[in-house]
């Protein structure tokens, strides 16, 4: 019931600024709640470890918060117990401190605490400050850590964040920036490409790949935010949907950079071979680029509708199909005119490279490709949709073993039932003289 109510909450909470504001508010309120609870349960005058732990364990996703809580509690408990052990056996001195830190780091590595590794020796040293024989102080530190971790986990579970909107914004912004570079290409074709355009296009293309890296970072945060998140129940697999869009635009950027380089190479030819300066050729090529620009911007906009199971982006897909059809029509016109001019021209490999990149740009954003992918995302089920890769593999493997065992048990029951119907002895293991031998069949 609670999960279904959370599932009806709006997924698109806002952009990056609104997400940061909500995260600051959630961390502040969670820390205050942890302090209030610890103040009532722990006799210490100022139990600040509880709000500190709550601040550290609350992450962007429920899965990360659970992982951080377990690691934090394990680190603090290990450090406290280690300090108490050394304090009661060898006492405190410079060499026992060094030995404690060494043992604490070994324990941290053995437990694979990663980010919480240093918390083990820190907790041990804080207990030495309080006095290793002060078992009440050690117990209070563990209790405060548990209160902070529990409060942070409760906050992440009751008010989970779905950080999908920033990834969508980044993907749409990436498409818009690609459209800006295509606009520059089209404008240069209309006025005539100059050799100095190459440096400008190269710089913009490099910035595109920086934007792709930023978008990939936002996508990873979106993937983590939907893991074990009840608010994401009505959302299509965000990782698969947005990841497909980023990979498509990354391929698009590679082809776009190749096209810009090829067009610039044409500008370096002698005047007799620069046939793209002729209006009959540059006009259809420029119009092809303008149609491709409209297609890639529309494709990036479609990312917002890919995550809703009940979304029907037919109107936007129709715009994309129209842009692709226009680009294909102008491309064919360009090819027809180009073939007539290249009949006796030895520069045809260079113009063939331009055509190759045009075809790739058009094919990358076709409607049918993304429609098939969208249906595959929406049909995706199982633990891989909600869990990280390693836990999902473990759950899938365990489920396969259980299904296999269930089928074997069902087959054995059917054979026994069939044997009983004909009056035969049911199929069961034979007793052997040695219990450690496997039963014979």
């Amino acid at each position: 019931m609670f999960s279904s109510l959370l599932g009806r909450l709006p997924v698109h909470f806002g952009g990056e600024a609104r997400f940061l504001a909500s995260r600051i508010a959630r961390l502040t309120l969670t820390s205050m709640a942890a302090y209030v609870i610890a103040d009532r349960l722990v006799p210490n005058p100022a139990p600040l470890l509880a709000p500190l732990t709550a601040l550290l364990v609350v992450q962007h996703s429920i899965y990360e918060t659970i992982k951080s809580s377990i690691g934090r509690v394990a680190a603090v408990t290990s450090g406290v117990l280690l300090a108490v052990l050394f304090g009661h056996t060898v006492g405190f001195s410079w060499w026992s401190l060094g030995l404690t830190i060494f043992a604490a780091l070994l324990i941290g590595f053995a437990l694979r605490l990663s980010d919480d590794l240093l918390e083990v020796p820190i907790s041990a040293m804080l207990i030495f400050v309080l006095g290793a024989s002060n078992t009440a102080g050690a117990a209070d530190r563990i209790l405060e850590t548990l209160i902070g971790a529990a409060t942070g986990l409760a906050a992440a579970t009751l008010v989970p964040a779905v950080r999908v909107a920033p990834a969508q914004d980044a993907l749409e912004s990436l498409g818009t920036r690609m459209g800006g570079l295509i606009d520059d290409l089209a404008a240069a074709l209309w006025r005539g490409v100059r050799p100095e355009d190459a440096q400008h296009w190269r710089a913009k293309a490099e910035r595109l790949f920086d934007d792709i890296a930023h978008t990939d970072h936002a996508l990873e945060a979106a993937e983590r935010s939907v893991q074990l998140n009840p608010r994401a129940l009505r959302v299509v697999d965000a990782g698969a949907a947005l990841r497909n869009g980023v990979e498509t635009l990354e391929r698009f950027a590679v082809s776009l950079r190749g096209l810009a380089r090829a067009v610039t190479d044409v500008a370096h030819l002698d005047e007799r071979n620069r046939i793209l300066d002729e209006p009959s050729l540059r006009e259809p090529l420029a119009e092809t680029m303008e149609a491709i620009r409209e297609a890639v911007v529309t494709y990036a906009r479609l990312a917002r509708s890919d995550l809703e199971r009940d979304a029907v982006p037919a109107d936007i897909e129709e715009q994309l199909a129209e842009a692709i059809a226009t680009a294909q029509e102008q491309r064919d016109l360009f090819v027809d005119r180009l073939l007539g001019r290249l009949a006796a021209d030895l520069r045809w490999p260079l113009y063939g490279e331009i055509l190759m990149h045009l075809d790739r740009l058009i094919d990358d954003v076709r409607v049918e490709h993304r429609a098939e992918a969208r249906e595959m995302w929406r049909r995706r089920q199982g633990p891989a949709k909600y869990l990280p890769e390693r836990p999902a593999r473990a759950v899938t493997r365990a489920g396969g073993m259980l299904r296999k065992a269930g089928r074997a048990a069902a087959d054995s029951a059917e054979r026994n039932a069939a044997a009983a119907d004909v009056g035969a002895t049911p199929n069961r293991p034979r007793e052997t003289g040695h219990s450690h031998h496997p039963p014979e069949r």
Side-chain angles (χ1 to χ4, degrees):
M1 180 64 179
F2 180 71
S3 298
S4 62
L5 291 176
L6 287 175
R8 299 192 185 99
L9 294 176
V11 172
H12 310 303
F13 183 72
E16 185 70 23
R18 293 186 63 186
F19 177 82
L20 290 176
S22 67
R23 178 165 173 78
I24 291 173
R26 183 169 62 164
L27 287 173
T28 303
L29 294 175
T30 303
S31 301
M32 293 170 58
Y35 180 83
V36 171
I37 297 173
D39 189 45
R40 293 179 175 273
L41 298 179
V42 180
N44 290 343
L48 295 177
L49 183 59
L52 175 62
T53 302
L55 275 176
L56 294 175
V57 302
V58 175
Q59 304 294 321
H60 293 299
S61 69
I62 297 178
Y63 172 78
E64 285 185 322
T65 301
I66 295 174
K67 182 179 178 181
S68 178
S69 300
I70 295 174
R72 179 82 178 173
V73 171
V76 171
T77 304
S78 301
V80 170
L81 294 178
L82 188 64
V84 171
L85 175 63
F86 273 84
H88 281 80
T89 54
V90 298
F92 178 75
S93 62
W94 64 269
W95 63 268
S96 64
L97 175 63
L99 189 59
T100 302
I101 294 175
F102 178 76
L105 292 175
L106 286 181
I107 293 174
F109 279 113
L111 295 178
R112 298 181 180 180
L113 296 178
S114 60
D115 293 339
D116 296 311
L117 171 66
L118 296 180
E119 184 62 31
V120 184
I122 290 174
S123 297
M125 287 186 286
L126 288 176
I127 294 303
F128 278 137
V129 172
L130 296 175
S133 60
N134 185 2
T135 55
D140 289 344
R141 179 168 175 80
I142 295 177
L143 179 58
E144 289 182 40
T145 303
L146 290 172
I147 292 173
T151 306
L153 183 58
T157 304
L158 298 176
V159 191
V162 180
R163 199 183 183 189
V164 173
Q168 292 174 304
D169 293 340
L171 185 59
E172 187 171 355
S173 175
L174 178 61
T176 302
R177 289 179 181 271
M178 288 184 178
L181 177 55
I182 297 174
D183 280 339
D184 291 347
L185 278 167
L189 288 169
W190 281 113
R191 62 166 166 77
V193 180
R194 298 188 295 263
E196 55 268 23
D197 291 330
Q199 185 176 0
H200 171 68
W201 293 340
R202 188 182 303 112
K204 294 196 71 171
E206 292 302 324
R207 286 196 295 271
L208 278 180
F209 286 96
D210 292 339
D211 293 337
I212 290 174
H214 171 73
T215 304
D216 190 71
H217 179 74
L219 176 57
E220 290 177 356
E223 290 173 331
R224 292 192 300 266
S225 71
V226 299
Q227 294 169 354
L228 300 178
N229 195 331
R231 282 186 60 197
L233 293 179
R234 68 182 182 90
V235 180
V236 177
D237 190 343
L242 295 178
R243 178 71 62 187
N244 181 271
V246 172
E247 291 175 351
T248 298
L249 293 185
E250 187 173 4
R251 293 193 301 269
F252 191 94
V254 172
S255 299
L256 183 58
R257 182 173 60 181
L259 176 63
R261 183 177 60 249
V263 171
T264 305
D265 290 342
V266 172
H268 285 87
L269 299 176
D270 58 81
E271 188 174 349
R272 182 177 61 87
N273 290 314
R274 288 204 304 268
I275 60 177
L276 289 185
D277 290 341
E278 299 178 8
S280 61
L281 287 174
R282 72 184 184 190
E283 289 178 2
L285 180 56
E287 291 180 359
T288 302
M289 296 305 301
E290 291 176 350
I292 291 176
R293 184 261 177 200
E294 181 65 25
V296 70
V297 173
T298 304
Y299 183 92
R301 285 173 50 207
L302 280 168
R304 293 196 173 278
S305 63
D306 282 337
L307 301 180
E308 300 287 344
R309 288 191 178 276
D310 54 352
V312 184
D315 52 342
I316 307 180
E317 288 189 344
E318 185 177 350
Q319 296 176 18
L320 177 59
E322 291 175 359
I324 291 294
T326 302
Q328 188 67 49
E329 179 182 353
Q330 293 299 320
R331 179 263 181 202
D332 293 341
L333 178 60
F334 172 70
V335 170
D336 291 340
R337 295 178 180 179
L338 184 64
L339 290 177
R341 291 290 287 110
L342 292 179
D345 197 327
L346 297 179
R347 303 288 181 178
W348 62 266
L350 180 57
Y351 295 100
E353 183 181 357
I354 293 177
L355 293 178
M356 178 188 69
H357 290 305
L358 283 178
D359 290 341
R360 287 179 176 175
L361 291 175
I362 294 173
D363 185 69
D364 280 341
V365 294
R366 286 190 181 277
V367 177
E368 51 267 29
H369 294 337
R370 66 171 309 283
E372 294 174 0
R374 187 179 68 248
E375 292 307 314
M376 180 182 67
W377 309 328
R378 295 182 176 183
R379 289 195 301 266
R380 187 178 181 186
Q381 299 293 334
K385 179 176 177 181
Y386 302 105
L387 295 175
E389 183 179 357
R390 290 179 60 186
R393 285 203 306 265
V395 173
T396 302
R397 190 182 305 113
M401 295 174 63
L402 289 175
R403 286 191 296 271
K404 184 177 180 180
R407 286 194 297 267
D411 293 342
S412 178
E414 290 180 1
R415 289 194 299 269
N416 288 339
D421 290 340
V422 297
T425 303
N427 180 26
R428 59 176 178 270
R430 298 178 183 176
E431 296 182 358
T432 60
H434 302 283
S435 58
H436 62 275
H437 289 172
E440 299 178 0
R441 292 187 178 276

